[in-house]
Amino acid sequence: GMSGSVAQQSGLAIFEQRDFVGSDTCVTCHSAAGTQWAHTAHSVAFNSDINGQWGEAAGCESCHGPGSEHIENPAVTDSILRFTFDSPTPVVAQNQVCLGCHQGGERIHWFGSVHDRNDIACADCHNPMAEFSSSGLLARQGVNETCFACHQTQRAEFNRRSHMPLTEGNINCTDCHAPHGSVTSPLLQTTSINETCYQCHAEKRGPFLFEHAPVRESCTNCHTPHGSNHESLLLTARPLLCQQCHTMTGHVNDLMTRGNLAGGPRPDSRLIGRSCQNCHVQIHGSNHPSGADFHR
Amino acid sequence: AADSPGNELNPDGLAFETGHSPLGLNIFNPRNARSPAGLLYPPVMNSPGFTEAAETGWLYRGVLEAGYLGNSGTTDTGSFLEYGDLSEGFMLRGLGYEAIKPEEGKYFRLVSGAVGRDDSYYHVEGGQYGKMKLGAFFSSTPHTFSTNSRSLYDGIGTGVLALPAGIQAGESTAEDVRNYLNARPPRKLALQRDKSGALFTFDLNRQLQFHGQISSESREGTRAFGGTFSYPQVGQVIETIEPIDHQTTEVITGFRYVRDRLQGNLSYTGSFFRNEFESLTFENPGIPTFAGVYFPPQGQFALAPDNTFHSIRGDLATRFDPWSGRFNATVAYSVASQDEKLLPPTTATGIGGSSSYPVNLDNWNTVNALSQARADARVNTLTAQARYAVRPTRNLGVQFEVRVRDEDNETDYRVFNPLTGEYGYPALDGGLGTVKIGLGGIYRPSVPGSRVRIANIPPAIDRAHGDVSFDYRLQYGTRLNLRLRHQETDYAHRERSRVEDDEIKLEVANSSLDNAILRMTYIHVDRSGTDYNPNPYEQFYSSSFADFQPRFADGQVPHTLSALRKYDLADKSGQTLRAQAHILLSDKSDLQLTGSISDDDFEADFGLRDSRSLTLNTEWTYQFNKESDAFLYYSYQDRRSDVSNINDAGPIGSDPAPGGAVYRLDAVWSQAAKEINHAAGGGYQRAIGALTFEASYTYSFARSELGYDYASPRAFNNAYTQEVAGNAYPDQTFELHMAEASLAWPIRDNFTLRFFYRYEREDLDDFHYQGLVDPVLAGTIYLQAVPEDFSAHLLGTYLKFDF
């Protein structure tokens, strides 16, 4: 087991031969930080030190390292570990301090993940110094705002005509994505795109008697998850979406034009309303013995 | 998923926090710090302090916020109601209670909002840090699709949609139906999604944690559905309404093991989906008139079957001394299955089909007409991944990754009726056989061209990739990353048996400048594969039988155009360039610029040919002081794609190639899609004395232009003139404005009065619904769930009490 400062155990040389001064000493100067931090989960966890994990380091110095040299010359801010832009400590080393307690579990795939490889620091998304969010000690008001700080295209997409209820607060980015590392490229919580979608859309999981192959392959063959200008998060308008792949002999490959709109001379159910799905209702798969063409 | 606190009027589920703290975080610095990546931290939120409960060691704080929400405008539209309960009336906006016992590391926290409303949430959690955690939650989400649907049927929301008195199955006229529908009141189509659950974690010791979560999600309501009894323009097509009564129970449990150099997770996930409605039966008004057409009196859908998913997964991470090596790996095995009792091939009775080829439906309307009683469908999936990273020198990192995912689809169904000894099924309850024998669905060896389905097609994909990446840290804060990846995908029963993707990814990042961080990524993907077989499906059709007679002397009607390439399998050359600049304008201001450009060329003559996009984003933030800040953003996206296809000339030959008798070059058509999106917004927050003022604005605009071109009017069967056809659909546009403002006024120590105002407006033009004022058009009966614009004001007055 570990005890003492997590920062020390990270192996950073700057902590050698320094002594702990205790949080009470720190807050004599850093009073605002002390007051704000007292509201946080870390404050309760460190103060109780229920597993005897931190000992005399419990509190500020658990993460920032022993403060004796900083006390001697407070103007030298680099004598304690800072988790900020002007910190001389490399991001990898900063993160190692957090991982001293938080490694494994949901962060088991952190190393080598896209955020790790791009030098994203724990402190870019989290700020445990105060209440910036309702939970999760995030650096911003909520999960979505935290992600949107860099992923701005997704913010724009979630304000489109069809979107999942993310801006409405019913879901958030981490319902589908695992920002701390994952076994998929888009950092999904599960091992595949479809498995992620089925968490909320379990009725589409099947497997069905008659499968629609691209559905089984990936929901994103037809849907774009972050927002669309088309119904039901579709990639493009129907029937064009279907006609990108389908041109079987018969009624499938007719060019639908303005003439087939509801107000046109030849209104056609292949274009109006739900388009192809007016008839091919069970496009995600059919369990009906007469459903090979997804009509039943 | 979907268990985080929050709803439309409080997306982040904030309970305690109001405005910004005047105290800030650092008394030595008038500005907020920047995160390691250079992002300005926002101002600290303001929240009530804890009060000590006498001699217990517990500290607590609580908030209760309640008031009245008023609204006006077009608030009865589906678009306004989509995901929230914004109805007028009393609102218990938030209730929060938190207690901590710092000496013992104990805590309790309750957060809830919109109590009693359709978008309420309740989260409770408590425990002891380093020992255990217990929690429970309930979250409710409405999903309104439309409020203006009109349906012919009685029994909506049940498994049987019956025609009303006065509308006779198969004997009604369009006029009867139109008159009836026009007199019906509009109906709301909506779901209510409620999820509740409980969770725990126990730290068995310093290394081992046991965790679990069980949740149950119900979805109840109705949504638009389709329905048909024949070919488009010939038999009855009718929009129906699907009854939804779904229940998904999910169990996740496992162990997490953590040592300094070794971590492991072992977990089980079980998901159990149950549908109250196994089928939906709908009667056939049968309004189109084609002499001799058979009108099945009713049809039946199999709704989503109950299904079960089990997954067991192990994760491992470890590190080695030589070269700071790190290894992590995952193995997961899952089984998705369903074994629903199968429905009979039809529920129709008597003689159906055409006079030449009648079908005795009484031989098909029983489960004895099935080759098996249950679906017995099952897909097993194995996923394994390993990653090994080393850093041979201080500046060089090398990483290897392999991943394998194998799917095994065990679903095996023969489309065979043991009662009659026939293959196939009466398509559309006998309605389709009226039109063309080839479409009747039942195999007739004596009839040339009787190609029907004889088995299910069980798709399965095996995919593996291997990659190596090099990470090099140059001087001056520059980092280079090069990744090479090769991926192979093996498909069962697809046009290609194997597809290979080769990808090069090059990233450059620079953080050497004092006031800017720059990143750039370039990705090139090349896709190729085995020969493309446009029709790998014959073994699942009666055309594979020895006694099958092709329609023509030289072969069967082509399955599809041989030159079309399905884009998930087509050869592809793709490039993406992404760039990101984060500019530190001053100690109170940030500017972010990001952009990407991508171009996928599918190297196909027909099908999706190319797809391109351009995205630009910018955001500016400014912090006036620790309590006041502002931000502005703008995003632009332009996406384009081109598709080409040929309208076939009918079943007149067997040549599948472009330029043949079936796929004539004068029936070639193409469509070009262009989508332009603008999004902009901003926010401002400042303290005015003791008051906190917040304002924000969100704007979104999208225009989808779909243009088409064609070699001749044969592309649309000469159904009308070129003048009528034009060369584009009406543009599809969407526009959203949302402006919000709130003012919080602490009228006494523990009481804060808050005024809230929102103006929201959405305008949508979707050509699919344009001109849809007649519910009966060309023999199709529509729900008329035409998307509606709205413009609405919300006004809230709340009193918040801190205790």
Side-chain angles (χ1 to χ4, degrees):
Chain A
M2 296 178 286
S3 68
S5 160
V6 186
Q8 266 182 324
Q9 287 160 27
S10 67
L12 292 170
I14 63 165
F15 297 117
E16 287 170 11
Q17 298 175 352
R18 294 184 189 183
D19 300 317
F20 295 107
V21 298
S23 295
D24 290 346
T25 309
C26 305
V27 301
T28 53
C29 294
H30 298 279
S31 56
T35 305
Q36 301 288 14
W37 188 69
H39 288 193
T40 69
H42 273 162
S43 164
V44 181
F46 283 130
N47 282 327
S48 61
D49 193 15
I50 192 165
N51 293 320
Q53 201 165 343
W54 297 293
E56 59 178 331
C60 310
E61 292 166 293
S62 296
C63 303
H64 293 284
S68 58
E69 190 160 321
H70 183 60
I71 296 289
E72 281 171 25
N73 189 355
V76 183
T77 52
D78 290 346
S79 55
I80 54 153
L81 177 55
R82 289 177 297 131
F83 300 84
T84 51
F85 182 59
D86 50 3
S87 171
T89 309
V91 164
V92 174
Q94 291 180 36
N95 289 352
Q96 195 55 50
V97 174
C98 306
L99 290 165
C101 292
H102 294 285
Q103 67 179 343
E106 291 173 5
R107 289 153 297 277
I108 198 162
H109 294 292
W110 169 256
F111 290 102
S113 71
V114 65
H115 284 153
D116 173 40
R117 283 189 288 110
N118 281 287
D119 278 346
I120 304 302
C122 305
D124 285 317
C125 303
H126 298 276
N127 190 338
M129 290 303 299
E131 281 186 292
F132 292 89
S133 65
S134 168
S135 62
L137 293 176
L138 298 168
R140 279 154 207 275
Q141 195 164 308
V143 171
N144 306 335
E145 289 84 350
T146 305
C147 303
F148 290 159
C150 295
H151 299 279
Q152 299 184 342
T153 302
Q154 283 73 17
R155 171 175 56 195
E157 289 175 338
F158 272 105
N159 279 314
R160 289 192 186 153
R161 173 229 186 144
S162 71
H163 59 271
M164 286 186 265
L166 184 129
T167 52
E168 288 85 353
N170 301 111
I171 62 167
N172 65 46
C173 306
T174 59
D175 284 325
C176 301
H177 295 283
H180 301 114
S182 147
V183 293
T184 63
S185 293
L187 293 181
L188 296 174
Q189 290 280 7
T190 70
T191 61
S192 72
I193 290 169
N194 284 24
E195 204 182 308
T196 304
C197 304
Y198 297 151
Q199 290 181 113
C200 293
H201 304 281
E203 82 278 14
K204 299 189 170 62
R205 183 166 54 205
F208 297 97
L209 208 56
F210 296 105
E211 295 274 11
H212 189 189
V215 176
R216 176 59 59 191
E217 179 181 11
S218 173
C219 304
T220 60
N221 275 325
C222 300
H223 298 280
T224 177
H226 300 133
S228 165
N229 191 28
H230 305 282
E231 273 189 301
S232 307
L233 291 168
L234 292 174
L235 284 169
T236 189
R238 293 175 288 193
L240 181 64
L241 176 73
C242 308
Q243 289 176 321
Q244 290 178 154
C245 289
H246 291 293
T247 182
M248 280 88 101
T249 314
H251 67 288
V252 178
N253 47 32
D254 301 23
L255 173 64
M256 293 283 112
T257 75
R258 277 174 174 266
N260 302 111
L261 294 171
R266 286 290 295 258
D268 196 307
S269 56
R270 287 170 287 179
L271 180 64
I272 299 167
R274 292 147 35 79
S275 182
C276 305
Q277 274 66 65
N278 283 321
C279 297
H280 300 274
V281 192
Q282 302 284 40
I283 203 63
H284 298 105
S286 170
N287 218 47
H288 197 286
S290 305
D293 291 330
F294 312 120
H295 292 127
R296 289 289 185 258
Chain B
D3 52 8
S4 37
N7 63 15
E8 185 164 353
L9 291 183
N10 187 4
D12 295 313
L14 301 177
F16 301 97
E17 303 79 3
T18 327
H20 294 164
S21 164
L23 189 59
L25 199 54
N26 187 345
I27 55 171
F28 302 109
N29 187 349
R31 302 291 166 211
N32 286 313
R34 290 181 180 279
S35 81
L39 297 162
L40 264 173
Y41 284 121
V44 178
M45 299 185 84
N46 205 14
S47 64
F50 288 87
T51 305
E52 190 162 359
E55 294 178 11
T56 61
W58 281 93
L59 306 170
Y60 70 90
R61 60 178 181 172
V63 291
L64 177 68
E65 186 173 16
Y68 188 85
L69 181 72
N71 68 39
S72 70
T74 37
T75 55
D76 56 350
T77 57
S79 44
F80 175 75
L81 298 169
E82 189 176 15
Y83 289 129
D85 180 352
L86 306 176
S87 51
E88 276 199 314
F90 173 78
M91 179 184 274
L92 209 168
R93 184 175 181 273
L95 172 64
Y97 181 79
E98 188 172 7
I100 54 175
K101 194 172 187 182
E103 300 273 296
E104 296 175 16
K106 291 178 179 167
Y107 70 100
F108 173 84
R109 187 179 170 92
L110 163 75
V111 174
S112 68
V115 174
R117 287 182 169 246
D118 286 345
D119 57 356
S120 63
Y121 55 88
Y122 307 81
H123 281 245
V124 58
E125 188 181 300
Q128 188 173 22
Y129 290 110
K131 293 281 186 204
M132 52 87 77
K133 175 171 90 177
L134 294 172
F137 62 86
F138 175 82
S139 176
S140 199
T141 308
H143 187 176
T144 304
F145 303 105
S146 69
T147 54
N148 55 351
S149 310
R150 290 173 200 267
S151 173
L152 198 55
Y153 290 115
D154 291 337
I156 289 165
T158 74
V160 179
L161 296 176
L163 292 171
I167 304 288
Q168 294 300 313
E171 293 175 14
S172 51
T173 66
E175 208 48 38
D176 293 340
V177 171
R178 184 176 292 119
N179 290 339
Y180 183 84
L181 280 172
N182 286 336
R184 289 280 262 199
R187 166 178 286 280
K188 183 175 174 179
L189 299 181
L191 292 180
Q192 181 69 26
R193 187 188 282 260
D194 292 335
K195 186 170 181 179
S196 53
L199 55 91
F200 68 85
T201 59
F202 291 113
D203 294 339
L204 303 176
N205 55 44
R206 289 282 301 281
Q207 283 81 40
L208 192 62
Q209 186 180 70
F210 176 42
H211 66 94
Q213 174 170 330
I214 181 162
S215 64
S216 174
E217 182 177 65
S218 73
R219 287 196 293 167
E220 291 184 28
T222 50
R223 64 183 166 198
F225 211 55
T228 184
F229 289 97
S230 189
Y231 217 62
Q233 308 274 346
V234 177
Q236 182 70 76
V237 177
I238 180 164
E239 276 195 287
T240 61
I241 294 176
E242 182 188 10
I244 308 284
D245 188 349
H246 296 167
Q247 187 86 28
T248 307
T249 306
E250 188 180 65
V251 179
I252 302 172
T253 186
F255 293 92
R256 297 177 182 134
Y257 178 77
V258 180
R259 289 291 294 261
D260 185 28
R261 285 171 173 266
L262 178 71
Q263 298 94 46
N265 294 341
L266 183 64
S267 66
Y268 163 79
T269 300
S271 174
F272 309 89
F273 169 79
R274 299 293 173 260
N275 188 353
E276 182 66 23
F277 297 105
E278 65 168 12
S279 66
L280 174 64
T281 305
F282 64 117
E283 291 187 341
N284 180 9
I287 54 172
T289 48
F290 240 72
V293 168
Y294 167 69
F295 290 104
Q298 64 181 35
Q300 189 177 54
F301 300 103
L303 298 180
D306 293 356
N307 69 62
T308 302
F309 175 77
H310 299 283
S311 170
I312 188 152
R313 171 172 168 170
D315 300 272
L316 176 98
T318 185
R319 64 187 168 99
F320 305 100
D321 280 336
W323 293 351
S324 308
R326 291 197 177 265
F327 175 79
N328 55 28
T330 292
V331 177
Y333 184 75
S334 69
V335 177
S337 63
Q338 64 96 1
D339 196 20
E340 189 90 336
K341 248 189 226 174
L342 297 180
L343 299 169
T346 183
T347 53
T349 56
I351 306 298
S354 66
S355 51
S356 324
Y357 301 104
V359 179
N360 183 355
L361 294 165
D362 292 330
N363 286 332
W364 295 85
N365 62 13
T366 159
V367 291
N368 296 327
L370 299 171
S371 64
Q372 63 192 56
R374 289 180 169 272
D376 194 17
R378 181 179 161 114
V379 174
N380 308 326
T381 307
L382 173 72
T383 307
Q385 175 164 320
R387 194 189 282 158
Y388 179 56
V390 287
R391 190 160 280 284
T393 72
R394 194 187 141 110
N395 293 326
L396 176 68
V398 184
Q399 181 167 304
F400 305 91
E401 180 179 294
V402 289
R403 177 183 164 95
V404 174
R405 185 173 171 89
D406 276 357
E407 241 179 26
D408 181 14
N409 190 331
E410 295 183 354
T411 313
D412 183 13
Y413 178 70
R414 279 206 313 159
V415 190
F416 177 73
N417 182 348
L419 291 181
T420 62
E422 291 172 303
Y423 279 90
Y425 56 81
L428 300 182
D429 295 279
L432 203 47
T434 312
V435 186
K436 292 169 187 167
I437 176 61
L439 299 170
I442 299 169
Y443 180 49
R444 297 178 188 275
S446 60
V447 178
S450 179
R451 180 176 176 266
V452 305
R453 278 291 282 278
I454 58 168
N456 71 311
I457 305 174
I461 295 171
D462 293 344
R463 179 168 286 157
H465 77 235
D467 66 42
V468 56
S469 61
F470 304 92
D471 186 76
Y472 193 73
R473 286 168 199 268
L474 294 159
Q475 282 180 318
Y476 310 114
T478 302
R479 196 172 53 79
L480 290 176
N481 183 274
L482 172 70
R483 188 180 79 183
L484 306 171
R485 169 173 288 185
H486 179 72
Q487 176 173 287
E488 295 183 354
T489 308
D490 290 339
Y491 292 90
H493 319 304
R494 290 297 309 272
E495 286 76 2
R496 273 184 148 159
S497 55
R498 170 169 287 190
V499 165
E500 299 188 9
D501 292 275
D502 287 296
E503 181 187 293
I504 296 174
K505 183 177 180 183
L506 182 65
E507 289 175 303
V508 185
N510 183 291
S511 56
S512 65
L513 302 172
D514 287 341
N515 57 358
I517 295 167
L518 310 168
R519 296 175 199 274
M520 193 172 281
T521 305
Y522 172 76
I523 304 169
H524 181 90
V525 185
D526 255 319
R527 173 175 294 171
S528 59
T530 51
D531 288 345
Y532 190 98
N533 172 8
N535 181 14
Y537 305 115
E538 286 309 285
Q539 69 182 95
F540 303 102
Y541 284 87
S542 54
S543 43
S544 61
F545 288 152
D547 60 355
F548 175 77
Q549 299 181 55
R551 178 78 172 265
F552 304 105
D554 63 347
Q556 175 58 6
V557 176
H559 170 70
T560 193
L561 171 64
S562 59
L564 183 130
R565 295 291 175 265
K566 296 183 177 178
Y567 64 89
D568 58 333
L569 302 165
D571 280 358
K572 181 174 92 168
S573 173
Q575 302 185 79
T576 302
L577 180 67
R578 288 196 290 262
Q580 184 177 12
H582 178 73
I583 300 162
L584 288 55
L585 295 175
S586 73
D587 61 356
K588 23 182 176 175
S589 182
D590 274 351
L591 180 67
Q592 289 242 40
L593 297 167
T594 62
S596 73
I597 185 163
S598 76
D599 185 348
D600 286 332
D601 180 353
F602 289 93
E603 297 169 24
D605 293 331
F606 297 96
L608 178 62
R609 295 195 302 187
D610 57 63
S611 167
R612 305 174 297 287
S613 74
L614 169 70
T615 303
L616 299 169
N617 303 296
T618 181
E619 177 168 1
W620 171 78
T621 55
Y622 190 86
Q623 296 186 351
F624 300 94
N625 53 46
K626 285 179 180 175
E627 292 177 81
S628 303
D629 64 347
F631 69 94
L632 290 170
Y633 69 86
Y634 170 73
S635 291
Y636 171 81
Q637 191 171 56
D638 178 331
R639 286 179 56 222
R640 294 168 197 234
S641 61
D642 291 296
V643 173
S644 187
N645 211 320
I646 304 181
N647 183 22
D648 71 86
I652 57 167
S654 62
D655 186 355
V662 179
Y663 291 100
R664 296 167 54 132
L665 294 181
D666 60 359
V668 169
W669 58 265
S670 61
Q671 284 202 9
K674 177 180 171 188
E675 310 226 352
I676 302 287
N677 295 274
H678 302 275
Y684 175 66
Q685 174 161 336
R686 72 165 296 188
I688 311 166
L691 278 64
T692 303
F693 175 73
E694 291 175 75
S696 69
Y697 172 68
T698 304
Y699 170 75
S700 181
F701 176 81
R703 180 192 302 279
S704 300
E705 298 173 22
L706 272 165
Y708 40 81
D709 203 357
Y710 43 89
S712 80
R714 272 186 176 276
F716 42 85
N717 299 321
N718 289 301
Y720 34 76
T721 63
Q722 292 191 41
E723 195 177 24
V724 168
N727 54 18
Y729 299 119
D731 289 351
Q732 189 169 299
T733 59
F734 172 73
E735 189 168 348
L736 159 81
H737 296 271
M738 188 163 77
E740 267 186 5
S742 79
L743 185 70
W745 174 28
I747 49 175
R748 282 182 52 190
D749 274 357
N750 292 352
F751 287 95
T752 305
L753 191 58
R754 211 163 71 85
F755 301 99
F756 163 80
Y757 170 74
R758 176 192 280 187
Y759 170 71
E760 192 175 2
R761 182 180 142 190
E762 271 186 28
D763 296 301
L764 172 65
D765 286 318
D766 182 342
F767 63 80
H768 294 89
Y769 298 91
Q770 189 171 317
L772 188 52
V773 287
D774 185 347
V776 186
L777 276 175
T780 300
I781 303 170
Y782 293 97
L783 285 173
Q784 286 188 292
V786 180
E788 292 181 289
D789 298 341
F790 76 85
S791 167
H793 304 269
L794 291 175
L795 197 59
T797 307
Y798 309 105
L799 188 63
K800 185 177 174 193
F801 171 51
D802 297 341
F803 58 96

